[in-house]
Amino acid sequence: MDQRVVSSGIPALDEVLQGLRLGDNVVFQVDDLADYVFFAQPFLEQALHEGRVFVYVRFAPHAPILEPRPGLTIVELDPSPGFDVFSGQVHRVVEQYGREVFYLFDNLSALVAEWATDELLANFFQLTCPYLFELDTVTYFALTRGRHAHGAVARIRDTTQVLIDVFHADGHPYIHPLKVWDRYSSRMFLPHMAVGESWEPVFHSGVAASVAATGRKNPLRPVSHLIAPWVSVYQRLEQYRAAGYDGLEATPDIVALKQELSGMMLGHQPEFSRLADKYFTLDNLFSIRDRVIGSGRIGGKAAGMLVARAILEREKDEFDFASVMENHDSFYIGSDVFFTFLVNNDLFRLRLQRARDSQYSLEEFAAIEERFLQGRFPREIMEQFRDMLDYFGQAPIIIRSSSLLEDSFGNAFAGKYRSEFCANQGSLEQRLECFLRAVKLVYASALNPDALSYRRKRGLGDSDEQMAILVQRVSGMAYRHYFFPPLAGVAFSRNLYTWTDRIDPRQGIIRLVFGLGTRAVNRVGGDYPRMIAVSHPQLRPEVGVRIAKYSQREVDLLDLKTNEMTTLPLTRVLDNRDYANLYLYASIMSDGFLMDPFSERMEGLGSRLVLTFNNLIQRTDFVSIIGRMLAVLERAYGHPIDTEFTATVDAQDRVRINLLQCRPLWVPTGPDGAAAAGSIELPADIPRERVLFRATRTISAGVVRGIRHILYIDPRWYGAADLEAKKTLGRVVGRINNHPRIGEGKVLIMGPGRWGSSNIDLGVNVNYAEIDNTAVLVELAREEAGQIPEVSYGTHFFQDLVEAQIIYLPVFPGDAATQFNQAFFDTAVNVLPELLPDDARFGGLLHLIDVPASAGGLMAQVVVDPHSQRAVCYLE
């Protein structure tokens, strides 16, 4: 055993800290002196048992930490003569007793009562701690939590070897190691709850959020010159709060002040201001302000999440959402930090240049990201970043864009800006490095060609767009060395994908996955989420053996060993079948039939597991809770809404929801549920030879006339193409999309499988900027080639189509009802070599059809009837 390792006298604490080391200064931040005594007594007993010299330095007016006893030396000192005299006395004591002595000091907070300044307390510690370290002592100190300026505590933290928060939450004692020098384990910096004789780490995100909120009420040190504009309004509102006003029923002066503070943090969008005025209390606003890093606004994504939570908290007539909601536990990097970063790192001019020119390559954007990664933040912002990471410890976090325009009424920016997961493992400096990289990549995404194209198409090119950031604790729990939530997804208050007339579209739809919710919002290859119609949750669009075929097979999760997000097969993640409540999420394939488990025992099932979530739907109130949440939020917003969430189920089948995001949902049928194009009817008696195709499973509505060009990629050609051609094809599509001649008319794009898929074998990999001039997007399905359209309702890709009013049609050429006119597409005039001579080599794979030149002057027209969910494309 290492001779420098010594015991604290509490085996469970030794296990958490990997023992104490000679030279350690250990600081306990406590609310009550009794908590310090709890650790001090075993420390003394262990030292005396080992025959060590133990000195108790007594100087405070509080009750003694240790009572006199044989073997204990008590040295009484008087701090009243001042910092200089007291520091000299302590140094003489340390010099007198020499090396490898164990010390315990009274609560250092008592020194501030004598010296009237935190700075002198920090000075004393910075003088004394290194001397004790040099002499290989082990010394205990205490500080009263919340009593001292953040700057003083930060200096103590930087100097000491071990810093531990000690607090109580829900009647249980907790410790949270904030610093442990020269030691590390994968659970060391998590909150730990006392369970019998042990300290158990808190892995569950919901419990950790509740515990941390109790334990660290003001985790960020203030930055005085950054918060100056807030001070006057904040202080006046604080006086009103102390007088008992909550801000909901208030005087005109309180209303005005509340609106001013809300505007400083949330902005002045009329719809959000209305909701904030109605639902935010003063406590809500103060809790936001206390979590803002730097200054400025917190952006649309953060504001939407907070407003939605406030609505659910206040609207209790139908359901008590507080009983099922997890704490969100978020921080906000203010929008001013973004501009400071740009200016300090000579990136502001680059932003202006790129904002005027969205037509640049992904390679050029990669170079821009590298420029951002080289940037640096001011010292005071770095200190607040460290405070935040101390608060989270080793809990995984996600760094999400929250720009001023994002998630607003009319502009979702779905998937346009970046979000980055941090598994958040390693030392503080390692975690800080990962976090800084994520923040810089989110900042760089403000110049992403997709985002700039979206802004241009939405008429927002000259709008004030500032990038704030939302930092959230990742929902879920540790399982083996992985971290993920059991349930995640998106839910919409309107359902455009009604695969049977029995479904009520006004009650909404849920797109549900196992693991991180990235698989619910991204188009991924070979995987399918569970689509749940809230009105009829047990009805599925698939039947029989197709249920297993069109189910989720892979899981997105955080690997705590490799410190990264990854995707793994479900069977690998759950290979020992001991995952809690697995029977709620998975069914069993037996002799070609699916069976829902009758009990919780799921061992030895191998690859027979199929994620169906059947028992979750049948045995819990999960769907009911989500349905009520959607209804309440839509009513408050006065508009359909789009949410992201995670969920857990405890051993008693009680559901807990974490609402991560809420934004207005643009729907082609209008907010009242009536079809905007209610009079649309499919034309009758179209000559068969003029029909190009029909679609029988539509989720769009509208009429597009005068289509001059059809970009057609035959699934048969695509399946036979080599890998390089498939990789390049999306860029060719983008060049066609942005060609001036294409922009003069209307274009219909047709291709195999899933447009925008990350798996190029399943569809053409394009981004928003490469299809944003499209009027109609058709996904061709040839099941024998594995090119199956996934009904992407709920993904960021689908939101792009809806907001851009691009009609989306899945078409099955092999179905006789489709009347697919293969002869027309095979023989039509291909003008690709004429428009893009440099891409002529792709002419055998991609046909850019000039419709009038191929059809005797006729143009193509698309009609989509939302009532029959059928569509036709024909020549007219």
Side-chain angles (χ1 to χ4, degrees):
M1 181 178 176
D2 186 345
Q3 296 301 308
R4 297 187 59 81
V5 177
V6 296
S7 174
S8 67
I10 303 176
L13 183 62
D14 292 340
E15 183 178 353
V16 172
L17 303 179
Q18 296 182 352
L20 301 177
R21 304 286 194 274
L22 293 176
D24 273 355
N25 292 278
V26 183
V27 179
F28 295 91
Q29 295 190 117
V30 298
D31 294 317
D32 191 303
L33 205 62
D35 291 330
Y36 188 34
V37 174
F38 174 84
F39 294 98
Q41 291 283 5
F43 180 48
L44 170 64
E45 297 290 344
Q46 183 67 28
L48 297 182
H49 174 72
E50 296 175 1
R52 296 184 182 276
V53 176
F54 197 105
V55 178
Y56 172 25
V57 181
R58 179 91 172 103
F59 58 83
H62 60 60
I65 307 300
L66 300 172
E67 298 292 342
R69 58 173 293 176
L72 170 63
T73 300
I74 301 177
V75 176
E76 296 194 10
L77 302 178
D78 182 8
S80 61
F83 162 77
D84 192 21
V85 173
F86 182 75
S87 298
Q89 290 175 343
V90 170
H91 274 242
R92 284 191 290 275
V93 169
V94 173
E95 183 178 20
Q96 173 187 345
Y97 284 96
R99 301 183 63 82
E100 297 192 15
V101 175
F102 283 25
Y103 290 92
L104 183 132
F105 280 66
D106 274 346
N107 187 348
L108 295 179
S109 297
L111 296 176
V112 177
E114 291 289 345
W115 300 341
T117 170
D118 284 327
E119 285 301 303
L120 289 181
L121 167 61
N123 289 342
F124 167 75
F125 195 85
Q126 283 191 296
L127 283 173
T128 306
C129 177
Y131 190 27
L132 292 164
F133 177 80
E134 290 174 13
L135 295 176
D136 280 343
T137 72
V138 179
T139 307
Y140 274 20
F141 300 94
L143 286 172
T144 301
R145 286 177 357 115
R147 173 97 40 108
H148 304 287
H150 278 271
V153 176
R155 289 172 60 191
I156 292 171
R157 182 199 187 287
D158 291 342
T159 308
T160 193
Q161 283 70 49
V162 180
L163 176 64
I164 302 172
D165 245 358
V166 183
F167 58 92
H168 294 258
D170 297 327
H172 298 285
Y174 288 85
I175 60 171
H176 186 180
L178 302 179
K179 179 181 180 181
V180 184
W181 180 70
D182 201 30
R183 277 145 281 180
Y184 176 76
S185 75
S186 61
R187 56 182 63 186
M188 182 178 287
F189 300 105
L190 294 170
H192 289 68
M193 184 177 74
V195 180
E197 298 295 319
S198 65
W199 292 97
E200 296 295 333
V202 178
F203 287 119
H204 191 292
S205 62
V207 177
S210 177
V211 167
T214 302
R216 304 284 301 282
K217 294 186 183 299
N218 295 296
L220 297 177
R221 71 192 77 184
V223 183
S224 57
H225 74 276
L226 289 177
I227 64 172
W230 311 48
V231 172
S232 174
V233 173
Y234 184 83
Q235 289 178 344
R236 291 169 65 188
L237 283 174
E238 183 64 72
Q239 292 171 358
Y240 280 118
R241 182 170 68 162
Y245 292 97
D246 66 2
L248 295 177
E249 300 293 336
T251 67
D253 185 44
I254 295 176
V255 171
L257 289 170
K258 180 182 166 186
Q259 289 174 343
E260 189 173 352
L261 183 59
S262 176
M264 289 178 184
M265 296 187 294
L266 306 183
H268 297 286
Q269 288 193 26
E271 296 88 351
F272 270 131
S273 297
R274 173 183 65 83
L275 293 170
D277 289 347
K278 182 175 181 180
Y279 292 104
F280 273 171
T281 64
L282 296 184
D283 283 343
N284 291 144
L285 292 174
F286 290 155
S287 66
I288 297 170
R289 185 247 184 222
D290 290 341
R291 294 293 189 97
V292 174
I293 293 174
S295 64
R297 294 171 180 165
I298 64 174
K301 186 174 292 179
M305 180 266 294
L306 293 167
V307 164
R309 283 178 166 272
I311 291 169
L312 296 176
E313 185 179 338
R314 306 281 170 264
E315 297 288 355
K316 298 179 179 180
D317 293 344
E318 296 182 14
F319 186 74
D320 181 14
F321 288 99
S323 66
V324 297
M325 297 292 290
E326 283 188 4
N327 291 335
H328 62 90
D329 207 14
S330 306
F331 288 79
Y332 322 97
I333 304 177
S335 57
D336 290 358
V337 180
F338 173 61
F339 278 139
T340 301
F341 180 83
L342 294 180
V343 172
N344 288 354
N345 294 286
D346 196 26
L347 292 166
F348 195 83
R349 183 184 297 179
L350 174 65
R351 175 176 176 267
L352 290 178
Q353 292 170 342
R354 289 308 184 188
R356 291 192 295 265
D357 175 24
S358 61
Q359 305 301 324
Y360 58 95
S361 68
L362 295 178
E363 291 76 15
E364 290 175 290
F365 177 59
I368 290 173
E369 287 186 316
E370 285 302 317
R371 285 277 305 275
F372 273 75
L373 289 173
Q374 300 306 312
R376 295 179 179 275
F377 288 93
R379 178 186 57 80
E380 60 270 20
I381 297 300
M382 291 291 291
E383 289 174 348
Q384 289 195 311
F385 286 164
R386 288 189 174 92
D387 288 342
M388 183 195 68
L389 292 178
D390 269 347
Y391 173 89
F392 282 123
Q394 290 161 297
I397 55 178
I398 181 170
I399 293 80
R400 309 182 72 189
S401 65
S402 182
S403 80
L404 264 59
L405 297 175
E406 196 170 359
D407 285 7
S408 60
F409 282 76
N411 305 298
F413 280 84
K416 294 297 168 292
Y417 297 134
R418 195 153 183 164
S419 293
E420 289 286 314
F421 284 98
C422 286
N424 206 27
Q425 305 301 293
S427 67
L428 175 61
E429 292 308 312
Q430 289 171 323
R431 288 182 276 135
L432 180 62
E433 181 181 358
C434 174
F435 171 76
L436 291 175
R437 176 180 173 82
V439 170
K440 293 170 187 177
L441 288 174
V442 172
Y443 279 173
S445 70
L447 302 185
N448 186 312
D450 258 15
L452 296 178
S453 175
Y454 180 91
R455 289 179 59 189
R456 175 175 53 81
K457 294 288 287 187
R458 307 289 292 173
L460 302 171
D462 297 324
S463 300
D464 181 25
E465 178 66 318
Q466 303 173 29
M467 183 60 75
I469 288 179
L470 170 63
V471 182
Q472 293 178 299
R473 182 187 296 270
V474 176
S475 293
M477 61 201 77
Y479 173 69
R480 299 161 65 190
H481 60 278
Y482 306 127
F483 191 97
F484 57 91
L487 301 166
V490 290
F492 303 89
S493 64
R494 295 302 170 97
N495 180 5
L496 302 185
Y497 181 39
T498 52
W499 55 89
T500 168
D501 292 340
R502 295 166 61 189
I503 293 172
D504 181 357
R506 295 170 298 180
Q507 293 192 42
I509 188 169
I510 304 166
R511 186 177 168 95
L512 185 66
V513 297
F514 182 79
L516 296 175
T518 44
R519 297 193 85 72
V521 297
N522 296 331
R523 305 201 87 193
V524 293
D527 237 18
Y528 299 82
R530 173 71 193 264
M531 305 292 284
I532 304 172
V534 174
S535 67
H536 290 77
Q538 296 188 50
L539 290 181
R540 300 190 59 130
E542 318 88 0
V543 294
V545 295
R546 296 174 68 87
I547 292 176
K549 182 172 183 178
Y550 297 114
S551 64
Q552 180 187 348
R553 296 179 177 83
E554 295 188 315
V555 183
D556 286 354
L557 48 77
L558 297 174
D559 189 322
L560 302 182
K561 281 186 178 178
T562 62
N563 208 20
E564 63 185 5
M565 178 184 167
T566 189
T567 301
L568 294 175
L570 175 71
T571 51
R572 178 175 169 186
V573 176
L574 301 178
D575 58 4
N576 57 0
R577 317 295 168 213
D578 61 350
Y579 189 78
N581 292 327
L582 182 58
Y583 76 102
L584 293 176
Y585 317 133
S587 299
I588 305 164
M589 181 62 75
S590 178
D591 297 326
F593 294 94
L594 277 175
M595 298 173 52
D596 297 331
F598 293 105
S599 72
E600 298 182 21
R601 296 185 60 84
M602 302 284 285
E603 296 88 349
L605 297 174
S607 59
R608 294 163 58 195
L609 289 179
V610 178
L611 285 175
T612 62
F613 305 103
N614 285 349
N615 278 338
L616 173 77
I617 293 169
Q618 296 168 15
R619 300 189 185 187
T620 76
D621 54 1
F622 167 75
V623 176
S624 173
I625 291 172
I626 296 291
R628 288 173 172 174
M629 179 182 77
L630 295 174
V632 167
L633 290 174
E634 179 175 311
R635 187 164 59 248
Y637 268 69
H639 197 282
I641 52 94
D642 157 6
T643 66
E644 292 184 18
F645 67 89
T646 63
T648 59
V649 185
D650 66 16
Q652 286 74 45
D653 290 349
R654 291 176 300 203
V655 176
R656 299 280 289 177
I657 304 291
N658 190 355
L659 181 62
L660 305 176
Q661 185 172 333
C662 182
R663 60 188 170 204
L665 173 68
W666 194 93
V667 294
T669 52
D672 62 353
S679 60
I680 294 175
E681 292 184 4
L682 296 184
D685 303 323
I686 304 172
R688 175 86 182 216
E689 65 275 10
R690 288 198 177 186
V691 174
L692 299 185
F693 62 82
R694 293 183 183 273
T696 58
R697 309 178 191 181
T698 68
I699 56 176
S700 298
V703 176
V704 181
R705 296 184 172 89
I707 299 172
R708 182 179 183 85
H709 291 99
I710 297 177
L711 189 160
Y712 173 67
I713 301 171
D714 191 301
R716 298 167 300 178
W717 308 335
Y718 187 81
D722 60 42
L723 184 63
E724 192 59 35
K726 289 179 178 178
K727 286 181 178 179
T728 310
L729 198 58
R731 311 297 80 75
V732 179
V733 172
R735 287 191 284 273
I736 295 171
N737 175 77
N738 295 312
H739 194 282
R741 259 180 67 180
I742 297 298
E744 293 170 0
K746 295 176 182 175
V747 61
L748 179 152
I749 293 181
M750 308 173 66
R754 306 184 189 182
W755 284 93
S757 173
S758 58
N759 185 337
I760 59 174
D761 288 329
L762 297 181
V764 182
N765 177 238
V766 291
N767 56 48
Y768 174 79
E770 291 169 328
I771 61 167
D772 61 354
N773 287 319
T774 302
V776 182
L777 183 77
V778 175
E779 293 191 332
L780 298 173
R782 292 191 182 274
E783 192 160 355
E784 68 276 8
Q787 297 155 342
I788 304 300
E790 178 219 1
V791 176
S792 56
Y793 186 53
T795 65
H796 292 156
F797 181 82
F798 185 82
Q799 291 302 98
D800 286 342
L801 303 183
V802 170
E803 285 197 3
Q805 300 185 48
I806 298 171
I807 288 177
Y808 164 74
L809 299 174
V811 172
F812 297 78
D815 185 345
T818 298
Q819 296 183 19
F820 193 76
N821 193 336
Q822 189 69 61
F824 174 83
F825 293 106
D826 288 344
T827 60
V829 176
N830 186 358
V831 296
L832 176 64
E834 177 188 342
L835 257 66
L836 296 174
D838 292 343
D839 292 319
R841 68 186 186 280
F842 292 97
L845 182 59
L846 184 156
H847 279 192
L848 181 58
I849 297 171
D850 185 320
V851 178
S854 305
L858 300 177
M859 299 281 249
Q861 176 166 307
V862 170
V863 180
V864 186
D865 177 4
H867 301 296
S868 66
Q869 296 185 325
R870 295 179 180 274
V872 61
C873 175
Y874 63 101
L875 298 172
E876 181 183 61

